[in-house]
């Protein structure tokens, strides 16, 4: 806790207001590590980095902002100044008063308690990688961040390229001197040189492969983390408008770009070192044959460039067909329960067969189009590997060149190594079609406007629960009618507010605006007097408890699901939340209790049990405002009665917004808001609305017709009894 306080105090210096309740502790750490704290700060909109430094560097950081020093007992201190001349630093207690002067500490005293770890924090002012558009430039910057690894790989590649010159030279010497002169001593010397060079070549090759593996792994990790964070930062509205399988397929396409950058691009880049080193040596051996090699490789590149456009168009069609097939697969798996219960297997299989046929046709078209440049370039490649040596032999026989037999063999050995980078460089352009198409598909999802700014900036007021709508208007994208039209009402903190109305009247829209799902409304929506758009979105959603009609439970234990939003809470907190939600009685009957494993889709618990677990998950953080959107509409009468019986107990000390079509569950609400076509028809208690609100009275009569009929029948019998007696 002290380390968290120190981090929050240091962040406050930069104008960042953080909430300790937003921190999810690592269960394996007794005290948060610098890496864990840095990761949390980066998620909250700061730039943080943990590092280990020595005293001689720490004491020179006099112009740095507050630095968090990690202490050996799990606590922390804040360094506010340093003086290298006097060899002291000034520390402040994170739990103390800011008005108190800092304490000077020398090296000997600090080293007794300091771990050597520090945490540097600053405010993010420029566009970071997390917010930058996903494109080739973004990916290139991620690769170039590994400058040290790239430098080491370049040095290893250059050294290997130089070593590759020696085998042809050795062969040339063997032919020209050893064989022709029958020199055994020269052969022994050359053999020793070959063994030494081979040893170093094997060692350098292993080192380069290891460096390349580390580089690609680091890049892969960074891309994966950024992509998932970007996906989570997309607003809910986007996912509601898109097919889930299509979104996943497009996002995963970026891994083809990753494979290109760390595969073909990397290998071609490394081969270029070979080209730089060997090509001058070829010109030294024979400029005529060297020019022939370069010219033939250029023709191969020209062929590939000519076919780039047609192949690119075919490949774009293949990607689209493959994504449509992936969407069918995802939809089938997600809806397998419906497919099985309605015996829709033949229909889904037919849909899959059609999509597979489209993919196969597109793949054949790509393969056939790509086959043409490969076929046309094959004679040119054969000429490089076989023809040039014949031309060289002809030049030697005709006396047009003074190249010896050994030099001719050496040129043949090196010529293929020069042609390979040149042809790979041309094919690299061909791969750009696939990369460009894949990157475009991924960017169409990942470059959508995100909630990053709203999630990491804004006010963090203490939530009490007073709501105020003032002339709020809202329309869904693409709609010509207003979902909310000049909605105005106000309820104090601690109010149990019911929302009723016909379908499409705007009830759920109000709850969406409260949760910050949509912020493109006009007017003023205030929470405790603060406009919702000025409140930090993460803080807002963490302060709410939301229970929907169909709640999703994660695959895991009951305890894990209840603490999903607050993983650091204890079992006592879990039991308290379960008791408040009325879930304790059925959890304790289960064989493993709170450690009972919930299967995917919550197939091993009932709908009522799932709803009560969702309520427990919502109340465990003790939110001051809870939203129940049709939370009981899918329950059986017994489960609904249990949930409704707990609502008054849950609602004590907090504002409750309850959306329900069943008016009987809202009778005890303090206020009931009646919506009609996006407007406020009336607001008041149940008895008042029955008297003065026609819409509410009509809805009540429709839902309670059987009760009213029974009352009228009883009244008629009571009225008829005296008449019969009197007639007698």
């Amino acid at each position: 806790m002290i380390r968290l306080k120190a981090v929050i105090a240091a962040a406050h210096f930069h104008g960042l207001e953080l909430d300790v309740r937003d921190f999810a502790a690592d269960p394996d750490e007794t005290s948060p590590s610098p890496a864990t704290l840095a990761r949390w700060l980066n998620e909250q909109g700061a730039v943080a980095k943990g590092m280990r430094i020595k005293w001689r560097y720490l004491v020179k950081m006099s112009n740095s902002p507050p630095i968090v020093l990690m202490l050996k007992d799990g606590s922390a201190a804040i360094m506010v100044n340093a003086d290298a001349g006097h060899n002291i630093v000034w520390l402040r207690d994170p739990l103390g008063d800011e008005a108190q002067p800092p304490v000077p500490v020398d090296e000997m005293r600090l080293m007794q308690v300091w771990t050597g770890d520090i945490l540097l924090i600053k405010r993010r002012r420029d566009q970071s990688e997390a917010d930058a558009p996903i494109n080739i430039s973004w990916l290139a910057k991620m690769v170039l961040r590994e400058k040290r690894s790239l430098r080491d790989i370049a040095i290893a590649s250059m050294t290997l390229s130089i070593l590759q010159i020696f085998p042809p030279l050795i062969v040339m010497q063997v032919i020209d001197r050893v064989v022709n002169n029958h020199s055994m001593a020269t052969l022994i010397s050359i053999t020793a040189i070959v063994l030494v060079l081979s040893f170093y070549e094997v060692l350098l090759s292993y080192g380069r492969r290891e460096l390349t593996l580390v580089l690609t792994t680091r890049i892969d990790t960074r891309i994966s983390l950024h992509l998932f964070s970007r996906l989570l930062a997309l607003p809910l509205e986007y996912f509601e408008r898109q097919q889930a399988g299509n979104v996943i397929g497009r996002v995963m396409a970026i891994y083809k770009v990753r494979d290109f950058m760390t595969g073909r691009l990397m290998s071609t880049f490394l081969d270029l070192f070979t080209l730089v080193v060997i090509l001058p040596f070829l010109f030294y051996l024979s400029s005529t044959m060297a020019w022939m090699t370069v010219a033939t490789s250029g023709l191969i590149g020209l062929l590939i460039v000519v076919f780039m456009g047609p192949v690119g168009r075919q490949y774009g069609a293949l990607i689209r067909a493959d994504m449509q097939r992936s969407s069918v697969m995802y939809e089938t798996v997600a809806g397998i329960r419906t497919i099985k219960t309605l015996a829709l297997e033949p229909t889904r299989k037919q849909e899959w067969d059609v999509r597979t046929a489209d993919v196969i046709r597109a793949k054949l078209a790509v393969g056939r189009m790509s086959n043409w440049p490969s076929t046309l370039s094959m004679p040119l490649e054969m000429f490089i590997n076989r023809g040039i040596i014949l031309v060289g032999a002809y030049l030697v026989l005709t006396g047009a060149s003074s190249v010896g037999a050994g030099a001719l063999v050496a040129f043949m050995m090196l010529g293929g190594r020069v042609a390979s980078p040149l042809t790979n460089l041309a094919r690299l352009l061909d791969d750009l079609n696939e990369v460009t198409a894949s990157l475009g598909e991924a960017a169409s999802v990942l470059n959508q406007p995100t909630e990053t700014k709203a999630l990491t900036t804004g006010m963090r007021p203490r939530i009490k629960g007073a709501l105020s709508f003032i002339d709020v208007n809202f329309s869904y994208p693409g709609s010509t009618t207003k979902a909310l039209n000049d909605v105005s009402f106000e309820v104090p903190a601690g109010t149990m507010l019911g929302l009723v109305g016909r379908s499409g009247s705007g009830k759920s829209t109000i709850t969406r605006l409260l949760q910050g799902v949509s912020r493109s409304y006009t007017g003023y929506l205030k929470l405790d007097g603060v406009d919702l758009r000025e409140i930090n979105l993460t803080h807002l959603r963490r302060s709410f408890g939301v229970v929907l009609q169909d709640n999703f439970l994660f695959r895991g234990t009951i305890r894990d699901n209840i603490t999903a939003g607050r993983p650091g809470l204890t079992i006592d907190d879990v039991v308290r939340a379960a008791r408040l939600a009325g879930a304790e009685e059925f959890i304790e009957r289960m064989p493993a209790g709170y450690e009972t494993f919930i299967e995917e889709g919550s197939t091993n618990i009932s709908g009522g049990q799932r709803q009560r677990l969702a309520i427990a998950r919502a109340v465990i953080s003790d939110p001051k405002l809870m939203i129940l959107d049709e939370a009981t509409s899918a329950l059986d009468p017994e489960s609904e009665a249990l949930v409704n019986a707990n609502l008054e107990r849950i609602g004590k000390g907090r504002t409750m917004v309850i959306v329900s079509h069943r008016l009987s569950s809202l009778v005890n609400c303090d206020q009931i808001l009646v919506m009609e076509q996006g407007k406020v028809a009336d607001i008041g208690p149940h008895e008042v609305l029955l008297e003065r609100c026609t819409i509410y009275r009509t809805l009540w009569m429709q839902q309670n017709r059987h009760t009213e009929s029974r009352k009228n029948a009883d009244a008629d019998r009571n009225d008829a009894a005296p008449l019969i007696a009197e007639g007698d």
Side-chain angles (χ1 to χ4, degrees):
M1 183 59 72
I2 298 178
R3 288 189 174 184
L4 277 176
K5 292 288 186 181
V7 166
I8 292 172
H12 181 70
F13 175 83
H14 297 284
L16 288 166
E17 297 295 335
L18 303 179
D19 189 347
V20 68
R21 294 175 298 175
D22 293 335
F23 177 75
D26 190 330
D28 297 329
E29 295 178 348
T30 55
S31 185
S33 65
T36 302
L37 292 169
R39 184 168 57 250
W40 176 59
L41 285 165
N42 289 324
E43 292 172 355
Q44 298 299 314
V47 177
K49 184 177 182 180
M51 63 175 62
R52 174 162 290 187
I53 65 172
K54 296 182 178 179
W55 167 265
R56 63 176 180 268
Y57 299 116
L58 179 70
V59 78
K60 294 178 182 178
M61 303 175 73
S62 57
N63 296 323
S64 301
I67 299 172
V68 181
L69 273 60
M70 306 297 164
L71 305 184
K72 294 178 180 178
D73 61 355
S75 63
I78 301 175
M79 190 185 91
V80 295
N81 203 353
D83 188 345
H86 294 85
N87 205 35
I88 58 173
V89 296
W90 278 269
L91 304 182
R92 186 166 63 81
D93 184 359
L95 301 180
D97 188 358
E98 292 186 10
Q100 293 179 351
V103 178
V105 180
D106 59 17
E107 179 181 4
M108 185 176 66
R109 292 173 58 194
L110 184 62
M111 295 308 294
Q112 292 176 357
V113 295
W114 181 42
T115 64
D117 294 325
I118 65 171
L119 188 66
L120 301 175
I121 306 169
K122 70 175 183 177
R123 188 182 185 90
R124 181 178 291 146
R125 298 187 182 277
D126 55 348
Q127 189 180 47
S128 66
E129 284 182 351
D131 304 317
I134 302 293
N135 50 32
I136 288 290
S137 175
W138 181 83
L139 287 167
K141 287 179 180 177
M142 300 202 74
V143 174
L144 293 175
R145 283 182 61 179
E146 302 294 334
K147 293 180 181 178
R148 181 176 298 178
S149 296
L150 289 172
R151 181 200 62 194
D152 294 340
I153 292 172
I155 293 173
S157 299
M158 184 66 74
T159 307
L160 281 171
S161 299
I162 295 172
L163 290 176
Q164 286 176 2
I165 296 176
F166 288 97
L169 284 175
I170 291 171
V171 170
M172 186 170 66
Q173 295 299 320
V174 169
I175 294 174
D176 292 341
R177 296 188 180 185
V178 175
V179 176
N180 292 337
N181 299 327
H182 296 83
S183 175
M184 182 62 68
T186 305
L187 178 62
I188 293 172
S189 300
I190 290 176
T191 302
I193 293 172
V194 168
L195 291 174
V196 172
L197 291 177
S198 299
F199 172 76
Y200 280 108
E201 187 172 358
V202 169
L203 192 64
L204 278 171
S205 297
Y206 169 78
R208 189 177 72 167
R209 284 194 297 270
E210 182 69 20
L211 288 170
T212 305
L213 179 63
V214 172
L215 173 66
T216 54
T217 304
R218 287 170 65 91
I219 293 172
D220 185 30
T221 302
R222 189 174 286 115
I223 289 176
S224 297
L225 294 175
H226 276 291
L227 291 189
F228 197 70
S229 297
R230 181 71 68 92
L231 196 64
L232 289 178
L234 294 176
L236 180 60
E237 287 180 310
Y238 176 78
F239 292 101
E240 292 174 341
R241 298 193 304 268
Q242 300 293 326
Q243 190 177 9
N246 205 1
V247 170
I248 294 173
R250 289 181 173 180
V251 170
M252 297 304 290
I254 201 167
Y255 286 103
K256 294 181 180 178
V257 186
R258 185 276 318 274
D259 292 339
F260 165 77
M261 296 194 72
T262 58
R264 176 65 67 86
L265 183 64
M266 182 69 69
S267 61
T268 303
F269 172 74
L270 297 178
D271 287 341
L272 287 177
F273 286 106
T274 304
L275 185 65
V276 171
V277 174
I278 295 178
L279 194 59
F281 187 71
L282 287 183
F283 275 95
Y284 167 75
L285 291 175
S286 173
S287 60
T288 303
M289 291 190 294
W291 278 118
M292 292 171 63
T293 302
V294 173
T296 308
S297 301
L299 287 175
I300 295 174
L302 182 62
L303 274 173
I304 293 173
V305 170
V306 168
F307 280 90
M308 275 182 63
V311 173
R313 287 189 290 272
Q314 295 289 351
Y315 196 83
L318 173 60
I319 288 180
R320 289 189 292 272
D322 198 27
M323 286 183 179
Q324 290 176 352
R325 183 173 68 170
S326 299
S327 297
V328 174
M329 172 69 77
Y330 176 85
E331 197 174 51
T332 301
V333 174
I336 192 66
R337 186 179 298 178
T338 302
I339 292 171
K340 290 290 185 182
T341 53
L342 298 180
L344 298 178
E345 291 93 340
T347 305
R348 300 308 297 174
K349 187 177 183 302
Q350 183 179 3
E351 178 73 12
W352 176 260
D353 292 347
V354 171
R355 297 302 181 190
T356 300
D358 293 340
V359 171
I360 296 303
R361 280 193 292 268
K363 190 171 291 186
L364 278 173
V366 170
R368 285 168 178 166
M369 184 61 70
S370 301
N371 196 22
W372 278 106
S374 298
T375 303
L376 294 175
S377 64
M378 188 174 291
L380 297 173
E381 292 179 3
M382 290 179 176
F383 177 72
I384 292 174
N385 295 325
R386 308 170 190 175
I388 288 179
I389 189 66
L390 298 177
V391 173
Y394 171 77
L395 293 175
V396 172
L397 292 175
T398 58
S401 175
S402 59
V403 177
L408 198 61
V409 174
F411 190 97
M412 182 182 69
M413 294 176 66
L414 290 174
R417 295 187 179 184
V418 170
S420 178
L422 290 174
T423 53
N424 285 341
L425 188 62
R427 287 197 172 92
L428 196 66
L429 299 175
D430 187 35
D431 289 343
L432 285 176
N433 289 309
E434 177 181 351
V435 170
T436 304
S438 300
L439 189 60
E441 294 295 338
S444 66
V445 175
L446 299 172
N447 286 343
Q448 294 291 325
T450 66
E451 296 178 325
T452 302
K453 185 176 181 180
L455 289 167
T456 57
T457 61
M459 302 173 61
R460 297 172 181 265
R462 187 172 297 277
I463 305 297
K464 296 180 181 178
L467 296 176
S468 177
F469 280 65
I470 305 172
D471 298 328
V472 174
N473 292 271
F474 175 76
S475 299
Y476 286 100
S479 175
T480 56
T481 59
K482 292 182 178 181
L484 295 181
N485 189 357
D486 290 332
V487 172
S488 298
F489 67 91
E490 186 173 350
V491 293
T495 302
M496 185 178 289
L497 175 69
L499 288 179
V500 300
R502 298 182 178 92
S503 296
S505 60
K507 306 184 300 297
S508 294
T509 303
I510 289 177
T511 63
R512 287 169 62 87
L513 296 188
L514 285 174
Q515 297 170 64
V517 174
S518 302
R519 288 193 161 192
S520 57
Y521 58 86
T522 60
Y524 298 95
L525 197 174
K526 295 184 178 182
L527 178 60
D528 299 323
V530 181
D531 193 283
L532 226 63
R533 287 169 290 202
E534 298 178 3
I535 300 177
N536 177 275
L537 198 53
T538 301
H539 175 72
L540 178 72
R541 291 173 178 170
R542 290 269 178 93
S543 303
F544 280 21
V546 181
V547 185
L548 305 174
Q549 178 178 354
D550 186 17
N551 292 279
F552 181 85
L553 295 183
F554 297 96
R555 190 171 183 268
T557 65
I558 288 177
R559 177 179 178 175
D560 291 340
N561 272 277
I562 294 178
T563 60
R566 302 286 185 182
L569 296 180
T570 64
I571 186 63
D572 293 334
D573 299 314
V574 175
V575 173
R576 191 180 305 111
R579 186 179 299 126
L580 195 60
E584 185 183 30
E585 52 90 15
F586 79 81
I587 294 175
E588 291 181 344
R589 290 200 309 267
M590 292 184 168
Y594 288 91
E595 300 303 322
T596 301
F597 200 84
I598 297 177
E599 300 294 342
E600 186 173 354
S602 310
T603 54
N604 57 333
I605 60 174
S606 68
Q609 291 172 340
R610 184 171 66 246
Q611 289 298 86
R612 281 179 276 173
L613 289 179
I615 294 174
R617 182 171 61 187
V619 301
I620 193 170
S621 58
D622 192 25
K624 294 303 178 184
L625 197 152
M626 283 195 64
I627 298 173
L628 280 74
D629 193 350
E630 301 289 354
T632 61
S633 61
L635 301 182
D636 57 87
E638 182 181 359
S639 298
E640 184 184 8
L642 283 170
V643 172
N644 287 335
N646 290 323
L647 285 183
E648 288 189 30
R649 184 172 49 165
I650 294 171
K652 288 181 179 179
R654 68 182 101 242
T655 302
M656 301 277 289
V657 179
I658 307 172
V659 180
S660 179
H661 282 99
R662 299 179 183 177
L663 273 60
S664 57
S665 62
L666 304 177
V667 171
N668 295 326
C669 287
D670 302 317
Q671 297 286 324
I672 300 176
L673 179 69
V674 183
M675 297 293 297
E676 178 67 14
Q677 296 182 353
K679 295 182 178 182
V680 175
D682 205 343
I683 183 171
H686 168 71
E687 294 80 5
V688 175
L689 292 177
L690 277 179
E691 292 292 331
R692 74 183 186 196
C693 182
T694 306
I695 297 172
Y696 185 82
R697 186 167 55 251
T698 302
L699 292 173
W700 178 264
M701 295 294 292
Q702 289 174 347
Q703 295 183 17
N704 297 275
R705 187 180 296 111
H706 60 286
T707 305
E708 297 297 328
S709 300
R710 190 180 298 113
K711 288 181 179 178
N712 292 334
D714 292 341
D716 290 342
R717 281 197 298 271
N718 292 335
D719 292 340
L723 294 175
I724 295 171
E726 189 176 328
D728 289 339

